[in-house]
Structure formats: structure tokens, C-alpha cells
Amino acid sequence: METIHIETDRLILRSWKEADRTAFAEMNRNIRVMRYFPAPLSKEESDNFVDRITAELEEYGLGLYAVEIKETGEFIGYVGFHRFNFDAPFSPAWEIGWRISDRYWHKGYATEAAAACLAHAREHHLLDTLYSFTATHNIPSENVMKRIGMTHVGTFMHPLLPDGHKLKEHKLYTLNL
């Protein structure tokens, strides 16, 4: 059953539908969308990711919400929260993140949805501190972090990427709610 978690003027952030899987897999195969990730995802990897997202939403009551355009019902990606637990001084913790199909870039959707997620988390006292991080050269994602009021705290070497990987160095942002 679909649950709407958050609405904005233009967007609905909701639980995932089975029908989202095809568009999500297409998005995860797109080399432009996946430019700042280690590799594009196969259909199976994408479906497994949806399964993990859905499980996290069920376990915590918050997570990475499917995002659709309110006017058309089009699925455009995800925005929301993810519990991470990798070897870093600031882990385990919650991050705010997003992945939007390149067909919908430069329209402010990631910023609009992320700001709504922050407002929702504050209003419902869901989290105290949030992090966001991205590869150092992912300026578009870093700009979203800045627009939603996050503070840059430095860089770190992502422990899940091998030494020498072009995406190993990440910028880290934080926000107290």
C-alpha cells in the first residue's frame, strides 16, 4: 500500500511502488546519473537496492522516499534519509541523500524535496543530526547540501571504496535539526 510521507507544491515523497522499479533501473543504468557513483547498476542490483530501501522504510518509518511529480505522477528518483554504518568517525548516523533522473535536473526538485524532508524531520523530532557526503568533484550535489543549509565539515576517504579510486575522497556536510 502506498503511503505519502511528504508533499511539496510540486512533488510527492512516498513509499515505493512495484512500478517504480523499471524507471529506477533505467536511471541507475544511466552513466550521467551514476557519474559520481562507483558504477551503473544492473537491473538486479537496482531491484536489490529498492528492496533495501523498502526494508529501511519499514524498519525506521523514514528512509529514501520515491519522488513523483504531483501534476503528472511521474517517478523521478528518490530523496530522503538513509542509516549508514561504515568505518568513519561520524558513523553510524543518518544521511540525507538524493538521486534524480537526469531528465529532471536543473528544476530544483532535489533541493525542494530535501528541504521538505528536513522540515518533516524537525516537525516530527525524527533526528538530531544529519550528514550528507559526496565525491569531492560532485558540485551539483554539494550545491544542494549548501542550499538546504548544511555546513561543510571537511573531507574524508570513503572506506567502502578502494584506495586510488577516483571517487574515494568525499566532502562531508552536517546539519543539527
Side-chain angles (χ1 to χ4, degrees):
M1 181 173 134
E2 178 184 328
T3 300
I4 295 174
H5 295 272
I6 301 167
E7 284 189 61
T8 71
D9 289 343
R10 302 184 298 164
L11 303 171
I12 294 174
L13 284 71
R14 58 167 171 75
S15 57
W16 289 70
K17 300 176 186 175
E18 194 62 31
D20 298 332
R21 289 178 183 264
T22 301
F24 191 56
E26 179 184 315
M27 190 176 92
N28 288 326
R29 276 193 310 269
N30 183 316
I31 57 173
R32 285 178 37 128
V33 172
M34 299 302 287
R35 178 177 175 190
Y36 300 109
F37 294 91
L41 302 180
S42 68
K43 172 76 167 114
E44 181 180 357
E45 290 168 324
S46 184
D47 283 345
N48 289 340
F49 188 22
V50 172
D51 293 342
R52 290 191 307 274
I53 289 170
T54 301
E56 191 168 74
L57 277 165
E58 288 174 8
E59 180 177 354
Y60 295 107
L62 70 158
L64 298 172
Y65 308 113
V67 179
E68 71 178 47
I69 298 173
K70 191 182 281 188
E71 188 175 296
T72 65
E74 293 169 88
F75 169 86
I76 65 169
Y78 70 70
V79 178
F81 308 107
H82 169 65
R83 180 84 174 152
F84 65 91
N85 185 11
F86 52 72
D87 187 19
F90 53 91
S91 177
W94 284 91
E95 72 171 305
I96 185 167
W98 40 85
R99 186 177 303 170
I100 302 292
S101 170
D102 61 344
R103 293 191 311 263
Y104 304 98
W105 288 355
H106 309 295
K107 298 178 187 304
Y109 291 142
T111 301
E112 180 178 330
C117 284
L118 293 178
H120 178 76
R122 283 184 181 111
E123 179 182 339
H124 297 282
H125 309 287
L126 300 175
L127 304 164
D128 295 324
T129 303
L130 272 175
Y131 292 92
S132 195
F133 42 86
T134 190
T136 55
H137 48 280
N138 185 350
I139 304 304
S141 193
E142 182 181 15
N143 286 340
V144 174
M145 295 172 200
K146 290 175 181 177
R147 284 193 293 269
I148 63 173
M150 300 191 87
T151 302
H152 182 250
V153 274
T155 60
F156 71 100
M157 299 309 240
H158 202 298
L160 300 179
L161 294 171
D163 290 343
H165 193 285
K166 67 181 181 176
L167 302 175
K168 178 103 175 146
E169 186 176 14
H170 273 55
K171 291 182 181 177
L172 177 65
Y173 279 73
T174 190
L175 181 69
N176 293 321
L177 298 174

